[in-house]
Amino acid sequence: KEEEEEDVAAGVRVPVVRLKFGEVAESTKVVILPVCRAEEKDKEVMEAPWECTSEGELGVMVAEKGWKRWVVLPGWEPVVSLGKGGVVVSFSDARVLPWKANRWYKEEPILVVADRSKREVEADDGFYLAAMDGEGLGFKVVRGSALKEAGVEESLGTVVLIVRPPRDETDDQLSDEDWE
Amino acid sequence: KEEEEEDVAAGVRVPVVRLKFGEVAESTKVVILPVCRAEEKDKEVMEAPWECTSEGELGVMVAEKGWKRWVVLPGWEPVVSLGKGGVVVSFSDARVLPWKANRWYKEEPILVVADRSKREVEADDGFYLAAMDGEGLGFKVVRGSALKEAGVEESLGTVVLIVRPPRDETDDQLSDEDWE
């Protein structure tokens, strides 16, 4: 819709969705995922619980181990499809994304949903969570092609979804274009 | 509506609600609460994290400590009103409730939502989570009057809500009567 959004969508294989107020809601299913802070580097990403199963009729979620940070996401397909190894990394802004950074990208926090069970760098146009040596950010979202050029074969996980925060304006959902 | 429901509603000051499929959903707010199993007796109830706060625009929940079991509930008023100390206890059936046990009560698991910051036994017609010595169940939901008769002044917490599992029939929501 906006020019900015189009820039972002170009060539991106990862859906970027903006959460709506009350959206954790419009699906018949929600997913609880463990959250790591980008500031903690790869430590938390490796340590966060891998297996979170649903117990009984009342939807109690049981993780294999205790964890402090959790987020509830609507049952979006990439999230529901996660098996063991799903994890969310919270970034204070979106400059970690490898595509053109727009103004709002520096102002908005994002959540990156990744699949730790898919660590191998396979697709050139896929996106991966990768720890960056010597960089203050801890890790970044990196294109498969860039990792391959750098000789990196294994990432921390394949990125399956990027979530932006809700806005006050209600008609601001990203279009299907963002899904490529 | 059903005769059974009316039995339950009589004199009960605690809302009993049946979760609808997809209901964690119809509110603009959801709440994540730590869950304890009734089998673990009062140990888990005392240990479960007391403070769970929401962090940032993306609704990440941060608990004061790690925990394995969590449940997402719709933003029902008694749940949203919980401050520090909110906890959920999962029971495999509803026979722990102090009112007339009906057939379906033995067949359905329930969640009891309690406020650990309100431990004092105050209201005769209130309901409290109380550890029962010498009983296999660990603890029960007990009427204030019964606790007072037994000389118990402090409970594990005041019960604020009881949640029943969703049913296949869709028009089965409890009526307002259950809210007394």
Side-chain angles (χ1 to χ4, degrees), chain B residues 156-176:
Chain B
L156 291 168
T158 300
V159 174
V160 299
L161 184 72
I162 289 158
V163 185
R164 297 171 61 196
R167 269 200 207 167
D168 284 332
E169 302 95 287
T170 50
D171 58 347
D172 184 53
Q173 279 301 101
L174 294 189
S175 65
D176 286 336

Side-chain angles (χ1 to χ4, degrees), chain B residues 119-177:
Chain B
R119 298 179 61 179
E120 202 178 335
V121 179
E122 284 180 341
D124 280 355
D125 54 359
F127 290 93
Y128 300 88
L129 201 57
M132 300 303 264
D133 284 342
E135 297 208 19
L137 277 169
F139 35 42
K140 275 193 169 180
V141 174
V142 188
R143 252 182 238 275
S145 55
L147 287 173
K148 285 181 178 176
E149 274 171 35
V152 179
E153 288 173 3
E154 202 171 59
S155 68
L156 291 168
T158 300
V159 174
V160 299
L161 184 72
I162 289 158
V163 185
R164 297 171 61 196
R167 269 200 207 167
D168 284 332
E169 302 95 287
T170 50
D171 58 347
D172 184 53
Q173 279 301 101
L174 294 189
S175 65
D176 286 336
E177 294 160 42

Side-chain angles (χ1 to χ4, degrees), chain A residues 15 35 41 45 47-48 53-54 68 70 87-89 96 148 173:
Chain A
V35 177
K41 311 226 169 55
V45 172
E47 283 179 1
T53 51
S54 185
K68 286 170 71 164
W70 297 91
V87 75
V88 171
V89 184
V96 292
K148 284 180 178 177
Q173 278 302 100

